[in-house]
């Protein structure tokens, strides 16, 4: 989709390419909402683990989770700005062209370079807050709190990404999208296997996941 809708067109005498590009400019609204809800869900599932791993002395584990969360935040950034994301080789390059990249990039780099889990968590918290502000600016849900807080009774700072996921799902109107019961998102959200996402036959088999 990114390839088809990007770049210069040098010859399109029948206008068919231009029509296809316009039709596929971005996901339908409710598919977009479903994918954003899924992306917030992915963040919610691991956001406490940076602190939980670090708290038991596993700084490497904390770093691994932080790196995963940085990637999820970047993926969410593309969704917030309704821009198709490329695969990993060009993800950083394409991200740098988004509007949110200027304030978000130094925060994410500090999170990745942090030497302790508490510092790592501090920078990720700033990233979550920024993403929450950008979410509210879309006006697709009622404004949600942009402040991080403790993970229930535990001293780990989280944004509770499921709050955003649940609110976004309430904004979905298309019956076909609403009846999807699992919050896994699109195929390239729940798998980054090149062998899967480049094989149309395999992708078709994964339709069963949405039924």
């Amino acid at each position: 989709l990114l390839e088809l809708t990007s770049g210069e067109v040098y010859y399109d005498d029948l206008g068919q390419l231009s029509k296809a590009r316009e039709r596929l400019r971005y996901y339908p609204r409710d598919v977009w909402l479903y994918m954003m809800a899924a992306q917030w869900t992915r963040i919610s599932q691991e956001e406490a683990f940076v602190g939980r791993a670090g708290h038991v002395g596993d700084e490497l584990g904390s770093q691994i989770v932080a790196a995963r969360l940085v990637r999820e935040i970047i993926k969410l950034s593309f969704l917030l700005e309704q821009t198709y994301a490329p695969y990993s080789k060009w993800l950083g390059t394409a991200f740098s062209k988004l509007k949110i990249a200027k304030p978000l990039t130094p925060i994410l780099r500090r999170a990745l370079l942090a030497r302790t889990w508490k510092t790592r968590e501090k920078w990720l918290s700033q990233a979550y807050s920024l993403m929450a502000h950008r979410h509210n600016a879309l006006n697709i849900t009622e404004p949600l709190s942009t402040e991080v807080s403790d993970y229930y009774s535990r001293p780990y700072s989280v944004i509770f990404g499921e709050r955003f996921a649940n609110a976004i799902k309430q904004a979905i109107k298309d019956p076909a999208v609403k009846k999807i019961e699992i919050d896994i998102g699109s195929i390239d959200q729940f798998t980054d296997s090149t062998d899967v996402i480049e094989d149309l036959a395999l992708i078709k088999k994964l339709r069963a996941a949405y039924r």
Side-chain angles (χ1 to χ4, degrees):
L1 289 170
L2 178 61
E3 276 190 81
L4 180 62
T5 57
S6 302
E8 299 296 329
V9 176
Y10 296 103
Y11 186 73
D12 184 23
D13 62 332
L14 298 179
Q16 295 303 308
L17 177 57
S18 296
K19 290 178 182 178
R21 288 178 71 152
E22 178 56 31
R23 188 168 65 250
L24 298 172
R25 186 194 67 80
Y26 202 60
Y27 304 113
R29 181 181 184 275
D30 283 355
V31 173
W32 168 57
L33 294 178
Y34 169 71
M35 292 175 65
M36 278 205 298
Q39 197 62 29
W40 276 109
T41 298
R42 292 177 66 86
I43 291 171
S44 74
Q45 290 167 344
E46 296 196 4
E47 57 181 327
F49 295 171
V50 171
R52 293 180 72 177
H55 201 181
V56 297
D58 182 10
E59 285 290 353
L60 177 59
S62 177
Q63 286 177 302
I64 291 170
V65 175
R68 285 172 57 88
L69 285 165
V70 165
R71 185 174 184 271
E72 302 298 357
I73 290 167
I74 287 175
K75 287 292 192 75
L76 180 58
S77 298
F78 281 93
L79 288 165
L80 287 171
E81 297 194 16
Q82 294 188 304
T83 302
Y84 292 127
Y87 71 118
S88 59
K89 178 182 178 182
W90 300 112
L91 189 63
T93 301
F95 171 71
S96 69
K97 298 176 183 177
L98 298 181
K99 294 177 182 177
I100 201 172
K102 186 173 181 179
L104 189 55
T105 296
I107 296 172
L108 296 181
R109 285 185 57 80
R110 288 184 176 100
L112 289 171
L113 295 172
R115 298 177 66 87
T116 67
W117 71 267
K118 288 188 176 181
T119 304
R120 206 170 291 126
E121 186 181 71
K122 180 188 76 171
W123 290 113
L124 284 172
S125 295
Q126 288 194 25
Y128 299 145
S129 182
L130 177 56
M131 302 306 284
H133 278 287
R134 293 300 174 99
H135 165 83
N136 286 339
L138 293 174
N139 294 315
I140 56 175
T141 70
E142 292 296 319
L144 299 172
S145 172
T146 61
E147 299 298 319
V148 298
S149 56
D150 284 349
Y151 183 64
Y152 302 106
S153 60
R154 300 182 181 184
Y156 314 123
S157 297
V158 297
I159 194 74
F160 286 105
E162 65 269 23
R163 295 185 298 117
F164 295 85
N166 292 334
I168 292 169
K169 284 190 290 184
Q170 292 301 312
I172 296 173
K173 298 177 181 178
D174 188 316
V177 180
K178 285 181 74 71
K179 74 177 184 180
I180 299 175
E181 297 180 354
I182 52 175
D183 298 332
I184 58 175
S186 65
I187 290 169
D188 60 351
Q189 281 178 286
F190 70 78
T191 179
D192 57 5
S193 168
T194 301
D195 288 341
V196 171
I197 60 179
E198 289 189 350
D199 188 329
L200 187 58
L202 280 174
I203 288 175
K204 287 181 177 179
K205 291 179 180 179
L206 291 175
R207 288 176 178 173
Y210 299 98
R211 297 185 181 129

